[in-house]
Amino acid sequence: MTTLPPLTVFAPLLLLGFSALSLVNPGRRPGAFPRLAEAAALGAMGFAIAALVQLLWTGPAILSFGGGALLLAFRLDAVSVSMAVLVSFVGWIVVRYSRSYLDGEAREGRFHGLMLATLAAVLALVQAGSLAVVALGFIAIGVVLRQLLLFYPERAEARRAAAKFSLVWGAGDAALVIASLLIGWSLGTASLAEIGAKAAQGLPPAAGIGVALLVLAAALKTAAFPLHGWLTEVMEAPTPVSALLHAGIINSGGVLLIALAPLVQASTGAMAALVMIGGLTALFGAAVMLTQSAVKTALAWSTVAQMGFMLLQCGLGLWTLALLHIVAHSLYKAHAFLSSGGAVRAVAAVKRPGPVAVPGVAAVAKAFLVALALFAIVASLFSLAVTKSPQSLALGAILIFGVAYLVAQGLADAAPRALTLRTALASTAAAISYFSFQLMAQALWGASLPQPPEAGPLEWALIVLALLSFGIVAVAQALFPLWAHHPATAGLRVHLANGLYLNALLDRATGGFRSSHTA
């Protein structure tokens, strides 16, 4: 390990330095500051890319200050540098977009300063090498992001969303701080690398409680069911804030779990909880997303579903695929939010004649059998290059359920031959892509992350539960045209569109509506 400090540590310092310039002119059209903010974000990305070269040239590195519970450490490895490049790239794009989006706003200078500070906190978090840096990074993100959510403080909805965010995020911070103290005290170290090594030797009871609190913190940070409501209400903030939140900050719970993957995997209870929480959140978020008419609200519910699926991947021990999911989701969601205005116009211009072919029960059954058979064939072809754990095969089968709906349309009696061919090609491409990306993720991060655990009775039970749950929902979606006109369907759609009213219950339980007037 080289003695040269990780170059990524200079990225947050650069951003914070330029962020302080917003104090000079926090108001409308603050001179050259928007361009300087973009230059700072671009410079941070330059440091991240330079750190990637440093890793390839000299190997991993770590920079440490202090000791004990107050150890401040920053690491450079394949995982941290990948996240740093991702965060800095997305941050640069969002800051660049903000120049024109916020032009002429009353608090334009302050906004750019807060965006740089938020980006700095996220960059510090993704390269954390100790528990103290993890906790401080999360706390800093919460403090600055609240100010961005209150950019329009005159709006009651913005105040309510900020109050609810602070409550849930603050609860996650409290859980994380207590977890850090328990883990550091019971294992005798605050270094993430040393914690991972000691976790392999078994967890003391206090560390086991700490891991449970880590899972709770990750669930709160990723807007997991049932405390997901704050994420769907932050649309009152400017679009760049939504883009940065959904493309970067919301992934922080997954980053936390991946950074402490050896510790989390040492607790079978924590892994089981992640599977159940993640699976339920993914199914719930996807179902609600399909009922939303507003583009940004649908994207928010999509994020809820995607974060649930990422927690499921972590619970199955598929850490490299969870990290790949974070990368793909960040890039997609940043683009989706920044282009949401164009999406509205594009959707409005599309003529929707209805389904081309409505599959019957026989066609749906045949489609799932064909899709799974195709998946098995592709898995066999990749058998020499990819280690096929039961967990990875189960995840692949769940993904194949998603394209089985297309295959069912292609196998319907009324389907034209061209549609049948296209759906078959889509299913084949999905299966090949899954194993190709799995191979790529394993090559990039496999040496830095633990392999999936051996499947015992509990793991098999969770795998079967996940397959049945996602399979039932996929079949119901494929058969939806057959029962869409039933009277009960209209009522179910209304309930789903309102998220089964869980957000209203959270408001009532926490006083969210009242706190919005005093935040």
Side-chain angles (χ1 to χ4, degrees):
M1 183 173 293
T2 179
T3 57
L4 184 68
L7 294 178
T8 45
V9 300
F10 297 106
L13 297 177
L14 174 68
L15 294 171
L16 288 176
F18 277 84
S19 175
L21 295 178
S22 66
L23 299 175
V24 178
N25 189 353
R28 181 180 288 109
R29 295 206 168 91
F33 182 59
R35 291 185 178 276
L36 292 176
E38 181 189 343
L42 185 60
M45 186 173 67
F47 276 119
I49 295 174
L52 174 60
V53 176
Q54 176 188 2
L55 176 66
L56 296 175
W57 188 261
T58 64
I62 190 165
L63 178 65
S64 301
F65 304 95
L70 298 179
L71 174 67
L72 301 178
F74 301 88
R75 74 188 195 282
L76 174 67
D77 55 26
V79 174
S80 66
V81 79
S82 297
M83 294 305 303
V85 171
L86 173 68
V87 169
S88 60
F89 173 71
V90 172
W92 170 57
I93 296 296
V94 172
V95 171
R96 180 179 176 84
Y97 179 89
S98 301
R99 276 180 48 200
S100 57
Y101 187 91
L102 270 295
D103 184 41
E105 287 283 350
R107 294 176 291 276
E108 181 182 352
R110 185 171 186 269
F111 178 88
H112 290 295
L114 290 172
M115 287 291 285
L116 292 182
T118 304
L119 187 57
V122 178
L123 279 172
L125 173 64
V126 299
Q127 57 182 307
S130 65
L131 293 173
V133 175
V134 171
L136 290 174
F138 274 110
I139 293 172
I141 291 171
V143 171
V144 185
L145 184 57
R146 174 183 168 82
Q147 300 305 311
L148 284 171
L149 296 178
L150 286 171
F151 185 71
Y152 298 118
E154 66 277 5
R155 299 182 182 179
E157 294 83 357
R159 295 196 301 270
R160 183 170 70 244
K164 192 178 298 184
F165 161 78
S166 297
L167 181 65
V168 177
W169 193 272
D173 288 341
L176 180 58
V177 170
I178 298 173
S180 299
L181 294 175
L182 289 173
I183 294 169
W185 171 74
S186 59
L187 297 181
T189 180
S191 168
L192 300 190
E194 294 179 8
I195 287 173
K198 292 190 176 184
Q201 305 171 7
L203 295 180
I209 298 174
V211 174
L213 290 172
L214 280 180
V215 170
L216 174 61
L220 293 172
K221 303 297 185 183
T222 53
F225 181 93
L227 299 178
H228 54 274
W230 66 269
L231 185 62
T232 63
E233 289 191 357
V234 295
M235 300 305 158
E236 291 298 319
T239 294
V241 178
S242 299
L244 186 61
L245 173 59
H246 287 261
I249 295 173
I250 196 64
N251 296 312
S252 59
V255 173
L256 170 65
L257 295 173
I258 291 171
L260 290 162
L263 175 67
V264 177
Q265 190 161 302
S267 171
T268 55
M271 299 291 279
L274 285 171
V275 170
M276 291 185 286
I277 295 172
L280 178 59
T281 302
L283 292 173
F284 176 72
V288 176
M289 177 193 68
L290 296 175
T291 65
Q292 302 301 309
S293 57
V295 172
K296 290 179 68 175
T297 305
L299 288 173
W301 281 104
S302 168
T303 299
V304 172
Q306 292 294 330
M307 290 300 98
F309 200 73
M310 185 268 297
L311 293 177
L312 172 67
Q313 290 171 312
C314 292
L316 292 174
L318 302 173
W319 302 104
T320 56
L321 290 179
L323 185 54
L324 179 64
H325 191 147
I326 289 176
V327 173
H329 177 263
S330 294
L331 296 175
Y332 156 71
K333 201 52 66 76
H335 175 269
F337 268 98
L338 296 182
S339 62
S340 57
V344 173
R345 292 190 295 270
V347 171
V350 172
K351 295 181 179 180
R352 293 174 287 277
V356 175
V358 177
V361 176
V364 170
K366 188 187 301 183
F368 275 82
L369 290 176
V370 169
L372 290 174
L374 183 60
F375 174 72
I377 294 172
V378 175
S380 300
L381 294 177
F382 276 83
S383 60
L384 297 179
V386 180
T387 301
K388 302 188 301 300
S389 65
Q391 294 93 326
S392 65
L393 289 176
L395 185 69
I398 291 172
L399 294 175
I400 288 298
F401 289 159
V403 299
Y405 169 72
L406 296 177
V407 178
Q409 284 193 325
L411 295 177
D413 294 336
R417 184 180 299 274
L419 179 60
T420 303
L421 178 60
R422 288 176 61 185
T423 54
L425 291 176
S427 182
T428 304
I432 294 175
S433 298
Y434 171 72
F435 287 106
S436 298
F437 281 117
Q438 182 180 349
L439 184 63
M440 181 184 70
Q442 189 64 30
L444 289 174
W445 307 302
S448 304
L449 295 170
Q451 296 300 309
E454 292 291 331
L458 178 60
E459 287 75 15
W460 277 110
L462 293 172
I463 289 172
V464 171
L465 177 62
L467 286 173
L468 288 176
S469 300
F470 281 88
I472 290 172
V473 172
V475 170
Q477 180 186 8
L479 293 175
F480 180 77
L482 299 180
W483 49 276
H485 302 291
H486 192 280
T489 304
L492 177 61
R493 182 182 181 87
V494 171
H495 298 320
L496 285 176
N498 288 280
L500 301 183
Y501 311 101
L502 291 172
N503 200 24
L505 292 175
L506 178 61
D507 274 319
R508 180 175 298 178
T510 60
F513 288 106
R514 294 189 299 273
S515 63
S516 67
H517 297 284
T518 59

